[in-house]
Amino acid sequence: MAYRNKTYVIFDGDNDMWAYARMKGWKALKNIDFNFIDAHDLKPLTKQAKSEAYIKGRLLERIKNAKQVVVLVGEKTKNLYRFVRWEIEQSQNLDLPIVVANLNKTRSIDNKLCPPILKGENAVHISFRMKMIKYALDYWPTYYNNSVDKTKSDDWHYPASVYKKLGLDD
């Protein structure tokens, strides 16, 4: 399944670290069926991490090793340009499948919070729920790579029936 490939997670490190930590926590629990190979575990930053060029170089190495991307969208994500926007641009340049997980649990694009660079860019927008993220990582990369017409653009999302099938119909 796609979630066994390296996944690069983009997020607001100041405000949304809790969501990234939750994903890592889900992965760590043996009784929960959630796993992903975290691209951030590759090439750890060293003491030289004070240089923006150094940090971006290491992040780019991680992105290039990833097979898909998850963008955690919180209240301030759309305003972050220095790293978040840059990471999204690099992911798009590499034509990586992007899963946008709305921390407010919106099930489709949240036009108020979504970074403009992701609007209409063939990413799938989902709610930040463990089962939904797993589902998207299992199915979106293959669909994106094999079925999405890249000459057109859209904001993708899963129908309510998928959430219901996963037991997320609340």
Side-chain angles (χ1 to χ4, degrees), residues 154-167:
D154 203 351
D155 296 312
W156 296 83
H157 67 279
Y158 292 106
S161 60
V162 171
Y163 287 84
K164 186 172 184 167
K165 179 175 87 171
L166 296 173

Side-chain angles (χ1 to χ4, degrees), residues 13-14 27 49-50 56 62 67 74 94-96 146:
D14 293 328
K27 175 184 172 186
K50 293 177 180 150
K56 285 183 174 179
R62 294 174 185 176
K67 297 295 182 202
L94 293 167
D95 196 30
L96 295 173
N146 297 327

Side-chain angles (χ1 to χ4, degrees), residues 8 10 52-53 55-61 63 80-93 117:
Y8 188 87
I10 300 171
E52 183 175 336
I55 294 169
K56 285 183 174 179
R58 284 296 175 115
L59 295 177
L60 185 56
E61 287 180 64
I63 295 167
L80 301 175
Y81 290 85
R82 186 171 170 201
F83 291 107
V84 169
R85 182 183 173 91
W86 179 86
E87 290 168 298
I88 294 168
E89 285 175 342
Q90 301 314 307
S91 302
Q92 291 171 327
N93 290 341
I117 192 171

Side-chain angles (χ1 to χ4, degrees), residues 107-108 126-127 131-132 135 139 157-170:
R107 294 179 175 192
S108 59
I126 63 169
S127 66
K131 289 180 181 179
M132 199 62 228
Y135 183 89
Y139 297 104
H157 67 279
Y158 292 106
S161 60
V162 171
Y163 287 84
K164 186 172 184 167
K165 179 175 87 171
L166 296 173
L168 302 173
D169 48 353
D170 57 345

Side-chain angles (χ1 to χ4, degrees), residues 9-10 25 30 35-36 38 41 44-45 71 87 92 97 99-100 105 108 120 129 138 143 155-156 163 167-168 170:
V9 183
I10 300 171
K30 302 287 185 227
N35 194 11
F36 71 103
D38 188 355
D41 291 340
L45 298 175
V71 180
E87 290 168 298
Q92 291 171 327
V99 175
V100 179
K105 298 188 179 158
S108 59
R129 305 286 296 269
D138 283 350
Y143 186 81
D155 296 312
W156 296 83
Y163 287 84
L168 302 173
D170 57 345

